[in-house]
Amino acid sequence: MDFFKKIGKEVSVFGLVFVVFIALFAYRQVTHVELSQDKLEEKIKDKDSFVVVVGSDKDNTTLNYKNVCLKYLEKNHSDKIYYVNLAKENNATTYIQKTFKTDDGTIPSTFVMKNGKVKVQKSGSLSYYRIAELFK
């Protein structure tokens, strides 16, 4: 009988840890949405309004900026920032210039899109407070 109680406790602890990991994974998916380049172009064609960061996971500046964005999203649950990884793109600068119709192709760049058009463009990584200003 003690054997079954011990097994029951271990299964309960494992189940609890498993549920916590699933909850953390779901939270990450809700706050940080990664878009493919095709989905980005589709959102622009559909004239959606959103905030998007384009960068490369090969770039340390972008990786640090992603962390700042995640910290912002943890405290501001209603806001959403999309991320497009251009690590596999041969010429990221040209892609940014063509897609967003801009002269600046800096990585990372943040774009505030309104009705499919660039309303605000910020080049480079932004501070927590600069990100907050984008949503005002």
Side-chain angles (χ1 to χ4, degrees):
M1 201 55 134
D2 290 334
F3 175 74
F4 290 116
K5 286 183 180 178
K6 187 176 180 181
I7 294 290
K9 286 181 182 178
E10 288 182 21
V11 169
S12 297
V13 170
F14 175 74
L16 182 63
V17 169
F18 183 72
V19 168
V20 168
F21 279 120
I22 294 296
L24 290 173
F25 177 76
Y27 178 73
R28 168 117 168 123
Q29 294 302 315
V30 169
T31 58
H32 178 74
V33 180
E34 191 156 333
L35 285 178
S36 67
Q37 293 173 3
D38 295 335
K39 293 280 186 187
L40 171 65
E41 292 168 13
E42 186 177 307
K43 284 182 80 60
I44 292 171
K45 284 180 186 173
D46 291 344
K47 298 185 187 255
D48 288 347
S49 298
F50 57 97
V51 176
V52 62
V53 173
V54 290
S56 172
D57 284 351
K58 294 179 182 177
D59 179 45
N60 284 334
T61 304
T62 301
L63 294 175
N64 290 332
Y65 183 43
K66 280 175 64 174
N67 288 334
V68 173
C69 290
L70 287 173
K71 285 180 184 176
Y72 173 80
L73 292 172
E74 286 174 3
K75 298 199 187 255
N76 300 281
H77 301 292
S78 62
D79 295 337
K80 189 174 267 191
I81 298 174
Y82 294 95
Y83 174 71
V84 178
N85 183 8
L86 299 178
K88 294 180 182 175
E89 184 68 35
N90 290 335
N91 193 340
T93 301
T94 303
Y95 176 81
I96 292 170
Q97 291 170 339
K98 183 181 122 208
T99 303
F100 296 101
K101 297 174 180 61
T102 181
D103 295 332
D104 186 7
T106 305
I107 291 181
S109 286
T110 306
F111 296 92
V112 177
M113 305 296 292
K114 288 286 185 191
N115 301 321
K117 296 190 180 186
V118 176
K119 180 181 176 190
V120 177
Q121 175 186 0
K122 300 287 184 178
S123 299
S125 62
L126 303 176
S127 69
Y128 181 95
Y129 299 104
R130 297 280 184 208
I131 294 170
E133 287 177 357
L134 295 175
F135 288 96
K136 289 183 179 179

